[in-house]
């Protein structure tokens, strides 16, 4: 495809057509909306309506007497409306003295007034304190949004109506600089979240999750019902995150759960019914196409080995089965044309019900909820169920003590797909039926056609064990989990302004798995049955003591927090396996006759921390904040147990200055700058210790155990450190009709832990060390435009857009900057100085040799014979040979930029919103293509290979080389032939809802009710034809190395939902 | 509510006090399910258990993916690849002499050899510096066991790769960069030193639970082969005589007093280990959670319809399809040679009754398909006799081997003298059929300078007599040079 040569992100923007596409998609609606809004925002000439009888004019100001432009004034119950001009003046003609005028303005409480006898009307509008004093959750406390000095994204979960079981789905496109990837469409799967790119090459890249103030590094957020979540805050910059110290380098996600309010109990019921279908199937060859491709592969191998092209198709004539083919392939109409992707998927329903009750009085508050999620998977046999309960309560005692607590319990059940199903679904040859003779699975021996026996794994990699149903039905992989999460706290008012808070928090996760591999796989010969049963428990508890101090004197505002925290985690797992079962009737260990394996594993982790923060603001204009955390961790070597993580940030609210007070355009302007140091300790326990591994050894007829050192001790092992500067501007124009947040950051991570390869002559392949550094720079924009506000009986339209880019580059690796290679078998992934982390390092593919003349003209020597129709590769060093020296960086998984555009409309009781988003740039290694779908492996091929080179007369598209049974050339060596583009655009979300009028709601006995339709992933555009979804990844969500690697992913869903939301 | 007020401070005090419960010691956590090296090697049993690991290393060196299997067999005209494993082809390029430096099989064989050397070096240095009191002869024996295995690793490395880094002590990862390729002469010098020490310090034989451990004759046998390889026939002869004259070994493997084909079959019976014909054997054991061998699965057909003729379990699945016996090897056997049946089986019958032509060997047979454990004979008595025939030029020793399986003597009537007119060719032929599929063939062809002549007709490009130094090893340590032709 294309080689990534331009290192500069901005060069790349200009050089890529999809970029333009992306920009256009992003900009066009924005420009539109901007024009639209401006049209309304401009001073509107006073209009006199013909039917009007009374002219009313006046001025609208805020409480301080400052004129408000662009205030909407409307005669209630009519279409008659005007806007104030820049001086706050208006004139409106109304029909009678009975008319009511409604004044609406962003950030202000709406105001109504009867005209009466007045023809002149001066109105003062009050600030809507709710929006002004908007409070966001920060580390160990809360802060007014206007006083923030760091970069924090906030998501109000009330505004999200996507009914997904996975909370990550709710976060798409909401906060710039946060990349969410739907790593798999499997029910119960979690999204991958990455904040501001990569800060580590070997540790986890997952952010720290904090639930109601308690860090929960191992929690899967999906074990909390998204309906119980009130808001999610994302601490993006290091200064905001630094108070979480050694675990904060990947950013922090703060989750706040719902709590009760004083007043009448309020009962909420949510129900959604969804229907999911596969968003995108991969185009594979049909039966006849596959048959032809197989014959071509055999013939090409024969001809290239020097055979006579016209030799008869017999083993006698051609000497080897791989150069011949079963006769039946020549008449594909006698075979089948089965679409395995269709047969193994279904339209799958999902139900989600949540019920909650919240209430309380002045002293006590409570919130109680229960939820059920029942999701069937789109691929047969998969499903997921989750039951959650949540109780949160607090009460005040004696005026100085507040005690409370929370208990959240989740039980989940999941049927997981066996790992190879998706690849058999795409790769099993279409020439076989679902079932053959005797009811056995369709395959070479059961279709009643002779001549296939000698071709297994030679020409045709088709066998009963490769049949999709064999994998689907032979394995039952059931998982069960129970997660409890709870805390108890006490908060004591010691002195005015000084509070002490102490809490104990614990989570306990028990996870069981039973894997039953059955004897009966639907084929003639039985398989070996086995049952593997495992269970694990994780206990994680945190003790926290905080002193909180708030003090205001005149213009001086001080708030401070100091705390001490101790966290311990204990993990234990146990597994057993038995084999040799007589039948499939008892899928339990007890029924197996051979005890094959029993094993356990245990580890512990402890973290001790002290921390503090001081916020000071002067006159509500000058803001400064400093934090410090000191962490000690059991993960580190004795020489490096403790680390300090300071941060400092400052802000200036320019718009509060006198000289800005008169500005009509700029309503608010804040400049921010911050610096912080954070760490990453998220890798395995005991990594610094050299272990003595025990293994069985035989001597004669005896067996015993021998011991050998399996790793090298490293007492210096310490944190990975990330230093980040963040510069931000928050701008509000025309009374915050437009708001813009811009953040630029630059971060440097060093002391990166790397498994540094060392010469194996030392006895080890690698050593784990704090070596290496990388740099990340990024730019983030978030724009909100309230295009229409409160016009025409409440029509409003808001556009939100986010755009972000970040680029990481490795700046140091080890003492001598030698590049590190990983994953060598399939695609070389390189970490090299000056390159993006996890770049693809491979041969550069350069199309097909169309004929012998081209081979001769190229004049490059390969390690094996090359024939017309083979691929051509670039001799990077020009030495006339293609060998390992010619590998180069051919791509990387890093996006150029991410964007999202969200439009929300409201009219009377109706609401409508849609979100478009996408990612531009970056490559993905298509691992399933590598195995065979791009080249001969006897399996089915991508339909794309219909464009392959077949002969000099029929050379295809000049890009896809021929298929051949002899592939010991370059076909299976890593090259950019296997890379596909990661660029995509998606209509992520469409929601259309209707809220009953209050009257009607009352009449049916509810306080409010809304019904809605929601669609997720309704439309998608992507450059890559050979993967189902560029967002999918293979491997752990927290592993930075896998972001650009995809093997046989469970497909992503397009989901249609109908929902009902009722409050009593 | 006065009491409430004092309670307030009491509560605060008690919470603050509870913080003292957590001391910094809580951060000193060590693995719970494995031992740490820092606390190991403190008792004699611990040291012995670490020494025993050299036997596991010997098993790894001679596994189906070790150097002898890839170089001695797959590179030769005896072992081939009919159907490929999925993924990047790694076995077929070796078979076809089209290896590239990034071949992952070659790389892992290299790694295994150096890991074995590390384990030996480590235990040697632990024994030499330990404060645990060990009886001198016991100490010497343990050192000798480690040195013999180290010599085996180097002997395989030097033959397959030529010049190789020579590490003879425990080194740090930083020091490892300074260990560059040393000439074969220096490597052989080290091998001979180690083997000579081993020969001196090892016992003549073992009894009870120690049977299967290496003996001085094992060391001498390897030494003989080393001398033969570096063309020092005289020295080889001495070592071979040391083995033969010990009287401990004979072709009567089953020790029933008669020498016949049953003794040959006895060697490949999974139940019989360390027989009278065995000089040096890699030790494995069948069953789950044991030191299993991987040859049977690795060398069986890579075909999903594969049915093993001797294993009555239809669920066994396919083999990995490397070292499939070639037609050429099958034709090498003379008419009526009873050794052929176990060496090369032409194919198998599927459950539906059709015959699939896909040869494989039964020499690594074990009824426990999934957890096999037949020992592997690194050097057995027939090998000793054939080497002795080679160094002395005396055909009786060749004929002893033929006589055991009832084949006509060299130069007698019925011997195919037209095919093998000289004693050298007769020995080459005999080694090929007697030791078929036992990973000797290519070492023999290279040692006797016959590789190019024999292999060229089978190969499209150049015949390779050395593996490439793994590209990955060069990537990590650019000081390493590559062999010519890669």
């Amino acid at each position: 495809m294309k080689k990534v040569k331009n290192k500069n992100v901005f060069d790349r923007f200009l050089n890529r057509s999809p970029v333009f596409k992306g920009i256009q998609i992003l900009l066009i609606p924005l420009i539109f909306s901007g024009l639209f809004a401006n049209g309304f925002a401009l001073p509107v000439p006073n209009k006199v309506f013909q039917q009007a009888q009374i002219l009313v004019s006046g001025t609208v100001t805020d409480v301080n007497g400052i004129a408000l432009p662009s205030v909407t004034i409307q005669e209630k119950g009519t279409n008659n409306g005007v806007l104030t001009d820049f001086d706050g003046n208006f004139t409106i003609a109304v029909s009678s003295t009975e008319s009511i005028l409604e004044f609406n303005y962003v950030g202000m409480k709406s105001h109504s007034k009867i005209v009466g006898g007045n023809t002149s009307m001066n109105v003062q509008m009050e600030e809507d304190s709710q929006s002004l004093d908007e409070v966001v959750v920060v580390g160990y406390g809360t802060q007014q949004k206007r006083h923030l000095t760091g970069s924090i994204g906030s998501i109000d979960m009330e505004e999200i109506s996507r009914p997904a079981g996975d909370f990550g789905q709710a976060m798409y496109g909401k906060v710039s600089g946060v990349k969410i990837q739907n790593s798999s469409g499997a029910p119960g799967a979690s999204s991958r979240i990455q904040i501001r790119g990569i800060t580590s090459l070997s540790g986890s890249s997952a952010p720290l999750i904090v639930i109601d103030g308690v860090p929960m590094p191992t929690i899967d957020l999906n074990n909390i019902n998204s309906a119980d979540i009130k808001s999610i805050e994302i601490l993006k910059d290091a200064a905001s995150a630094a108070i979480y110290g050694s675990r904060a380098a990947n950013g922090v996600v703060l989750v706040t759960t719902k709590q009760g309010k004083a007043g009448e109990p309020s009962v909420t019921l949510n129900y959604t019914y969804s229907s999911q279908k596969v968003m995108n199937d991969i185009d594979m060859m049909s039966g006849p196409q596959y048959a032809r491709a197989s014959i071509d592969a055999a013939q090409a191998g024969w001809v290239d080995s020097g055979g006579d092209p016209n030799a008869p198709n017999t083993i006698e004539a051609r000497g080897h089965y791989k150069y011949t083919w079963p006769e039946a392939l020549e008449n594909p109409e006698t075979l089948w044309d089965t679409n395995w992707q269709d047969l193994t998927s279904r339209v799958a329903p999902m139900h989600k019900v949540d019920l909650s009750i919240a209430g309380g009085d002045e002293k006590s508050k409570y919130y109680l909820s229960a939820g059920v999620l029942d999701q069937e998977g789109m691929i047969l046999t998969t499903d997921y169920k989750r039951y959650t309960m949540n109780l949160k309560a607090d009460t005040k005692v004696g005026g100085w003590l507040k005690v409370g607590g929370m208990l959240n319990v989740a039980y989940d059940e999941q049927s997981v797909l066996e790992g190879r199903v998706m690849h058999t679904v795409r790769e099993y040859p279409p020439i076989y039926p679902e079932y053959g003779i005797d009811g056995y699975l369709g395959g070479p021996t059961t279709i009643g056609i002779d001549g296939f026996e000698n071709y297994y794994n030679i020409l045709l990699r088709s066998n009963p064990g490769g049949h999709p149903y064999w994998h689907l039905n032979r394995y039952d992989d059931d998982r069960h989990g129970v997660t409890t999460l709870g805390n108890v706290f006490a908060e004591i008012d010691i002195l005015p302004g000084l509070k002490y808070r102490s809490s104990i928090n614990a989570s306990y996760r028990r996870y069981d798995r039973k894997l039953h591999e059955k004897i009966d796989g639907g084929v003639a010969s039985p398989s070996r049955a086995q049952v593997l049963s495992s269970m694990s428990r994780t206990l994680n508890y945190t003790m926290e003591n905080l002193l909180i101090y708030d003090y205001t004197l005149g213009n001086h505002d001080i708030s401070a927090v100091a705390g001490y925290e101790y966290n311990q985690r204990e993990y234990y797992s146990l597994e057993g396996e038995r084999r040799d079962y007589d039948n499939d009737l008892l899928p339990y260990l007890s029924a197996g006759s051979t005890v094959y394996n029993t094993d356990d594993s245990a580890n512990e982790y402890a973290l001790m921390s002290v921390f503090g923060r001081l916020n000071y603001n002067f006159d509500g204009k000058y803001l400064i904040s400093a934090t410090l955390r000191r962490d000690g961790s059991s993960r580190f070597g004795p020489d490096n147990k403790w680390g300090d993580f300071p941060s400092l940030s400052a802000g200036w609210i320019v718009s509060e200055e006198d000289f800005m007070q008169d500005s009509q355009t700029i309503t608010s302007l804040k400049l921010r700058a911050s610096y912080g140091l954070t760490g990453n300790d998220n890798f395995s326990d005991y990594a610094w210790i050299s272990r003595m591994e025990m293994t069985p050894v035989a001597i004669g007829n005896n067996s015993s155990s021998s011991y050998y050192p399996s790793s090298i001790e490293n007492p210096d092992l310490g944190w990975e450190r990330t230093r980040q500067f963040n510069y931000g501007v928050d701008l509000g124009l025309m009374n915050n009709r437009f708001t813009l947040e811009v953040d630029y950051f630059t971060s440097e991570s060093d002391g990166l832990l790397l498994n540094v390869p060392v010469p194996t002559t030392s006895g080890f392949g690698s050593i784990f060390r704090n070596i290496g550094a990388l740099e990340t720079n990024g730019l983030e924009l978030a724009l909100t435009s309230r295009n229409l506000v409160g016009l025409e009986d409440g029509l409003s339209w808001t556009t939100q857009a986010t755009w972000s880019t970040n680029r990481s580059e490795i700046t140091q690796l080890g003492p001598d900057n030698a590049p590190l290679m990983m994953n060598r078998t399939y695609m070389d992934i390189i970490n090299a100085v000056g390159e993006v982390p996890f770049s693809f390092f491979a041969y550069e593919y350069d199309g097909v040799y169309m004929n012998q003349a081209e081979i001769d003209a190229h004049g490059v020597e390969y390690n094996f014979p090359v024939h017309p129709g083979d691929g051509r590769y670039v001799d990077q060093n020009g030495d006339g040979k293609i060998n390992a020296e010619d590998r180069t960086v051919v791509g990387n998984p890093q996006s150029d930029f991410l964007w999202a555009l969200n439009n929300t409309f409201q009219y009377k009781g109706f609401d409508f919103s849609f979100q478009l988003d996408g990612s531009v740039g970056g490559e993905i290694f298509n691992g399933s293509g590598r195995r065979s779908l791009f080249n001969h492996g006897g399996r089915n091929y991508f339909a794309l290979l219909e464009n392959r080179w077949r002969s000099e007369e029929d050379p295809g598209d000049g890009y896809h080389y021929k298929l051949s049974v002899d592939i010991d050339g370059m076909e299976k060596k890593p090259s950019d032939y296997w890379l596909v583009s990661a660029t995509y655009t998606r209509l992520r979300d469409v929601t259309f809802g209707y809220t009953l009028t209050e009257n009607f709601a009352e009449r049916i006995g509810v306080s409010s009710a809304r019904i809605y339709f929601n669609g997720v992933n309704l439309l998608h555009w992507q450059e890559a034809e050979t993967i189902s979804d560029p967002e999918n990844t293979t491997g752990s969500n927290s592993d930075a190395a896998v972001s650009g690697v995809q093997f046989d992913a469970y497909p992503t869903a397009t989901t249609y939902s109908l929902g009902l939301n009722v409050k009593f | 509510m006065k009491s409430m007020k004092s309670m307030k401070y009491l509560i605060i005090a008690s919470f603050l006090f509870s913080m003292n419960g957590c001391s910094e010691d809580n951060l000193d956590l060590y693995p719970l399910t494995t031992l740490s090296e820092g606390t190991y090697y403190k008792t004699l049993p611990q040291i012995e258990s670490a020494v025993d690991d050299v036997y596991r290393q010997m098993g790894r060196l001679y596994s189906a993916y070790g150097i002898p299997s890839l170089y001695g067999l797959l590179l030769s005209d005896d072992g081939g690849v009919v159907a490929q494993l999925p993924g990047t082809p790694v076995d077929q390029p070796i078979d076809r002499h089209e290896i590239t430096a990034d071949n992952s099989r070659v790389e892992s064989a290299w790694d295994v050899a150096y890991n074995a050397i590390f384990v030996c070096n480590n235990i040697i240095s632990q024994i030499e510096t330990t404060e645990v009191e060990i009886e001198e002869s016991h100490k010497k024996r343990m050192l000798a066991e480690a040195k013999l295995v180290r010599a085996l690793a180097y002997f395989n490395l030097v033959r397959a790769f030529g010049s190789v880094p020579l590490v003879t002590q425990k080194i740090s990862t930083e020091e490892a960069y300074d260990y560059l390729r040393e000439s074969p002469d220096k490597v052989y010098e080290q091998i001979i030193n180690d083997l000579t020490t081993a020969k001196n310090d090892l016992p003549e034989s073992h009894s009870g639970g120690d049977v299967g451990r290496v003996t001085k004759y094992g060391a001498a046998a390897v030494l003989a082969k080393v001398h033969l390889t570096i063309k020092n026939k005289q020295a080889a002869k001495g070592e071979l005589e040391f083995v033969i004259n010990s009287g401990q070994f004979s072709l009567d493997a089953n020790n029933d007093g008669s020498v016949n084909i049953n003794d040959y079959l006895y060697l490949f019976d999974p139940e019989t280990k360390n027989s009278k014909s065995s000089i040096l054997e890699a030790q494995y054991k069948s069953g789950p959670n044991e030191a299993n061998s991987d040859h049977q699965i690795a060398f069986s057909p890579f075909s999903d319809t594969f049915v093993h003729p001797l294993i009555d379990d239809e669920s066994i699945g396919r083999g990995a399809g490397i070292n499939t016996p070639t037609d050429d090897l099958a034709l090498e056997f003379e008419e009526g040679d009873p050794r052929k049946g176990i060496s090369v089986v032409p194919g198998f019958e599927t459950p539906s009754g059709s015959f699939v032509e896909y040869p494989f060997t039964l020499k690594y047979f074990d009824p426990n398909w999934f957890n096999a454990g037949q020992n592997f004979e690194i050097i057995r008595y027939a090998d000793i006799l054939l080497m002795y025939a080679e160094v002395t030029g005396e055909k009786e020793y060749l004929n002893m081997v033929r006589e055991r399986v009832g084949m006509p003597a060299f130069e007698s009537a019925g011997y195919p003298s037209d095919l093998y007119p000289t004693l050298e060719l007769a020995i080459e032929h005999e080694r090929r059929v007697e030791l078929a599929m036992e990973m000797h063939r290519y070492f023999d062809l290279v040692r006797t300078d016959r590789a190019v002549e024999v292999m060229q007709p089978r190969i499209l490009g150049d015949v390779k007599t050395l593996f490439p130094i793994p590209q990955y090893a060069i990537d990590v340590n650019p000081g390493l040079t590559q062999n010519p032709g890669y």
Side-chain angles (χ1 to χ4, degrees), chain A residues 104 148 319 338 386 442 479 557 565 636 771 816 829 849 851 927:
Chain A
N104 278 301
L148 284 182
T338 309
R386 187 183 66 201
R479 325 260 175 117
D557 255 338
E565 200 175 86
F636 295 97
I771 238 166
D816 53 357
I829 290 177
Y849 285 120
N851 47 52

Side-chain angles (χ1 to χ4, degrees), chain B residues 166-275:
Chain B
L166 184 60
V167 187
T168 55
Q169 55 188 335
K170 193 179 179 183
I171 56 169
S172 70
T173 52
E174 286 83 9
E175 288 167 332
Y177 290 91
D178 301 331
Y179 282 80
L180 303 178
R181 300 178 70 187
E182 298 286 353
S183 71
D185 288 351
K186 284 195 84 169
V187 179
Y188 277 115
E189 193 187 316
Q190 176 64 35
I191 293 170
I192 291 167
N193 276 339
D194 274 347
L195 290 172
T196 308
T197 310
K199 184 182 156 193
N200 291 336
D201 293 346
L202 285 170
E204 293 194 359
S205 64
H206 293 281
S207 60
D210 286 333
V211 171
R213 288 183 183 275
V214 293
T215 63
K216 56 173 67 225
Y217 301 110
V222 182
L223 206 43
K225 188 154 272 188
V226 168
H227 285 306
L228 205 56
T229 305
I230 58 175
K231 301 195 161 60
N232 185 347
K233 281 195 177 180
Q234 206 47 45
K237 182 162 173 276
E239 299 301 337
L240 291 167
E241 280 166 357
F242 181 71
V243 175
I244 294 168
N245 296 338
S246 73
Q248 277 202 36
F249 308 100
S250 86
L251 287 173
D252 182 14
N254 60 13
N255 207 13
D256 67 351
S258 68
V259 174
N260 53 38
I261 178 66
N262 289 331
D263 292 304
Y264 185 79
L265 299 177
Y266 188 82
L267 295 170
F268 310 105
D269 182 330
E271 293 299 311
T272 61
K273 295 173 186 290
N274 307 310
S275 73

Side-chain angles (χ1 to χ4, degrees), chain A residues 200 456 697:
Chain A
S200 172
Y456 296 115
V697 63

Side-chain angles (χ1 to χ4, degrees), chain A residues 138-452:
Chain A
V138 298
Y140 302 98
T142 56
Q143 224 179 330
Q144 281 188 13
K145 193 170 185 195
R146 55 195 269 122
H147 289 160
L148 284 182
T149 47
S151 178
I152 297 179
S154 188
I155 300 169
D156 182 354
M157 291 295 279
E158 298 280 1
E159 290 173 3
I160 308 287
S161 57
R162 292 167 207 164
D166 171 31
F167 89 103
Q169 297 288 318
M171 294 166 66
Y172 269 103
K174 297 296 178 200
V175 178
S176 65
V178 179
K179 184 176 185 178
I180 313 283
Q181 276 178 285
N182 176 32
S183 55
S184 157
S190 322
S191 291
R192 183 182 155 80
I193 302 169
Q194 209 179 328
I195 300 171
R196 292 194 162 178
I198 294 173
T199 59
S200 172
L201 297 177
S202 62
S204 162
S205 68
L208 174 68
I209 306 284
V210 177
I211 298 171
D212 287 342
V214 184
M216 295 277 171
T218 53
I219 201 91
D220 179 350
L221 255 187
N222 282 341
N223 289 313
I224 294 190
N225 187 353
S226 55
D228 289 336
I229 298 177
K230 178 170 168 275
S231 67
I232 294 175
E233 262 84 16
I234 297 178
L235 310 185
K236 296 192 290 181
D237 69 325
S240 307
I243 197 159
Y244 291 103
S246 60
R247 296 176 290 182
N250 293 312
V252 180
V253 175
L254 303 178
V255 175
T256 308
T257 61
K258 288 180 180 164
Q259 59 181 14
K261 283 179 196 153
E264 283 294 295
S266 125
V267 178
T268 307
L269 170 73
N270 291 316
Y271 172 74
T272 44
Y273 169 78
S274 312
S275 172
Q276 317 151 79
K277 69 178 187 65
V278 173
M279 182 183 79
N280 184 27
D281 275 334
I282 299 174
D283 280 344
M284 304 303 300
M285 282 190 185
S286 69
Q289 289 170 335
Y290 171 78
R292 187 70 241 164
S294 301
I295 295 172
D296 285 359
Q299 178 72 2
W302 169 242
V303 172
D304 288 349
S305 71
D308 170 10
N310 300 316
N313 172 30
T314 60
I315 180 72
E316 291 73 26
R318 298 186 171 211
H320 198 301
Y321 280 108
K322 69 180 169 184
Y323 298 137
T324 67
W325 53 89
E327 293 283 315
L329 290 187
E330 290 175 23
N331 303 300
E333 65 282 359
T334 63
L335 299 168
W336 286 259
D337 184 4
T338 309
N339 186 331
W340 298 108
Q341 292 185 101
D342 277 358
L343 287 171
T344 51
S345 63
R346 61 185 167 193
V347 173
M350 173 167 84
H351 302 267
K352 191 171 190 292
V353 189
D354 304 303
L355 185 63
S356 69
I357 177 162
D361 54 26
E362 293 301 302
K363 288 198 155 177
S364 309
K365 296 181 179 66
Y366 62 88
Y367 176 85
L368 178 64
S369 79
V372 178
L373 172 72
D374 183 350
Q375 183 178 11
E376 208 173 71
M378 295 170 292
I379 305 300
L380 303 181
T381 76
T382 57
D383 61 39
Y384 180 65
K385 290 189 182 73
R386 187 183 66 201
Y387 306 89
T388 49
M389 284 186 290
N390 188 31
L391 172 64
K392 200 172 176 182
D394 60 67
T395 188
K396 279 182 184 150
V397 185
W400 54 270
L401 175 67
K402 185 177 170 189
V403 292
M406 182 259 253
L407 182 64
N408 183 88
V409 182
Y411 171 77
D412 60 295
E413 257 179 36
Q414 194 180 8
S415 285
V416 175
L417 211 53
E418 189 258 338
R420 284 183 294 176
V421 171
M422 287 322 296
H423 92 231
T424 59
V425 163
R426 289 154 189 165
E427 298 174 0
Y428 197 63
I431 56 170
Y432 302 119
E434 284 180 89
Y435 298 97
I437 48 179
D438 303 331
Y440 291 130
L441 297 181
T445 54
T446 62
I447 51 174
I449 301 174
D450 286 338
F452 281 85

Side-chain angles (χ1 to χ4, degrees), chain B residues 79-224:
Chain B
V81 175
V82 169
Q84 296 187 71
L85 278 168
T88 307
V90 286
D91 304 316
Q92 194 155 6
I94 299 177
D95 179 33
R96 295 170 155 224
H97 289 231
E98 289 172 1
I99 320 166
T100 46
D102 58 356
N103 190 294
S104 62
R105 286 263 190 266
V106 172
E107 181 194 318
S108 73
W110 164 283
D111 289 349
V112 162
Y114 276 103
N115 191 253
I117 290 165
F118 161 75
V119 166
C120 297
N121 286 340
N122 179 53
I123 192 60
I124 289 169
S125 102
Q126 295 293 349
I127 295 171
E128 282 170 349
T129 58
T130 185
E131 285 168 12
V132 177
E133 282 203 17
I134 310 172
E135 199 190 320
E136 197 53 28
S137 65
H138 188 33
K139 200 178 219 177
K140 278 187 160 178
R141 193 199 87 189
M142 291 194 294
L143 286 170
E145 287 176 297
K147 286 179 177 175
L148 174 57
V149 173
R150 180 166 74 180
L152 278 176
Y154 276 120
F155 187 34
N156 285 316
L157 279 168
V158 72
R159 286 184 292 174
F161 295 94
S163 304
V164 290
L166 184 60
V167 187
T168 55
Q169 55 188 335
K170 193 179 179 183
I171 56 169
S172 70
T173 52
E174 286 83 9
E175 288 167 332
Y177 290 91
D178 301 331
Y179 282 80
L180 303 178
R181 300 178 70 187
E182 298 286 353
S183 71
D185 288 351
K186 284 195 84 169
V187 179
Y188 277 115
E189 193 187 316
Q190 176 64 35
I191 293 170
I192 291 167
N193 276 339
D194 274 347
L195 290 172
T196 308
T197 310
K199 184 182 156 193
N200 291 336
D201 293 346
L202 285 170
E204 293 194 359
S205 64
H206 293 281
S207 60
D210 286 333
V211 171
R213 288 183 183 275
V214 293
T215 63
K216 56 173 67 225
Y217 301 110
V222 182
L223 206 43

